Amino acid sequence: MNTLIRKCLRMPLPPPERPREPLQKRQIRIEGFRRDDGLWDVEGHLLDTLPEDVQVAGQWRRAGEAMHAMSLRLTVDRQAQILAASAVSDAHPFGGVCGTIAPAYERLVGLKVGPGYRRRVQELFPASGGCTHLSELAIAMGTGVLQTLARTLMRDPDVRPFSLDGCHALMTDGPVVREFHPRWYRGPADGEGAGAAGRRTG
């Protein structure tokens, strides 16, 4: 674990303002893999647990036992196109009902991860045609797909990084892109811009 990661893990949120008790815990894990056929697998896992025993649909779930446990695998190419999708629901509140929707997530095949991906997932899986938790996982995995591909594609100088214009730090007219991705920089040249104009007219 590098120094930056260790430092981040030592910087928790400020202490809570009032005493409190835990009610629910959700964990999402996303992992990316390079395959031997030139494609990539990205797997997501969602786990919900509760800190106390609860009765759901006439059955008891013990403290710490999974309330929701869903997994989704996406196989993508270097253009972030989804070529295969497989979903499973290992734990859910309503046995015999919840898990039956998992095969529907094969409809993700053909989507390209990038601008508009979230909207397309929401269109494919409306409330009556999907699982809330699998859809949330599919959306979250979009970032996982791009991060998985980035390790390979960032070595290709002809490929524009997926992350550009995706957050305030990586806008193509900003200083980070100017320094680390100069080929894709779209801002003013050195000595130009508001600061330079102010100096010329001052």
Side-chain angles (χ1 to χ4, degrees), residues 50-173:
L50 302 176
E52 59 186 17
D53 296 353
V54 295
Q55 191 174 25
V56 179
Q59 295 185 336
W60 283 96
R61 296 293 175 94
R62 302 304 175 189
E65 186 179 348
M67 178 65 71
H68 301 104
M70 282 83 175
S71 299
L72 176 63
R73 176 186 295 141
L74 303 177
T75 301
V76 300
D77 61 16
R78 65 183 288 117
Q79 283 75 44
Q81 192 92 15
I82 298 175
L83 305 180
S86 177
V88 295
S89 180
D90 293 320
H92 37 261
F94 306 105
V97 179
C98 289
T100 61
I101 199 66
Y105 284 81
E106 293 179 7
R107 297 204 300 266
L108 290 167
V109 173
L111 264 61
K112 183 175 181 178
V113 179
Y117 172 73
R118 174 189 294 269
R119 175 179 53 79
R120 289 291 293 123
V121 172
Q122 293 170 333
E123 291 172 350
L124 282 173
F125 305 103
S128 61
C131 164
T132 300
H133 305 88
L134 279 172
S135 295
E136 290 179 2
L137 185 57
I139 290 171
M141 288 174 65
T143 301
V145 168
L146 299 183
Q147 290 178 336
T148 296
L149 290 174
R151 289 199 59 190
T152 297
L153 300 187
M154 69 186 300
R155 301 170 188 158
D156 186 341
D158 295 324
V159 175
R160 184 181 189 273
F162 291 119
S163 54
L164 299 189
D165 287 326
C167 75
H168 79 101
L170 290 171
M171 299 306 291
T172 49
D173 61 353

Side-chain angles (χ1 to χ4, degrees), residues 177-189:
V177 174
R178 179 173 60 188
E179 180 176 355
F180 297 104
H181 303 285
R183 176 172 181 176
W184 311 105
Y185 177 64
R186 298 296 180 264

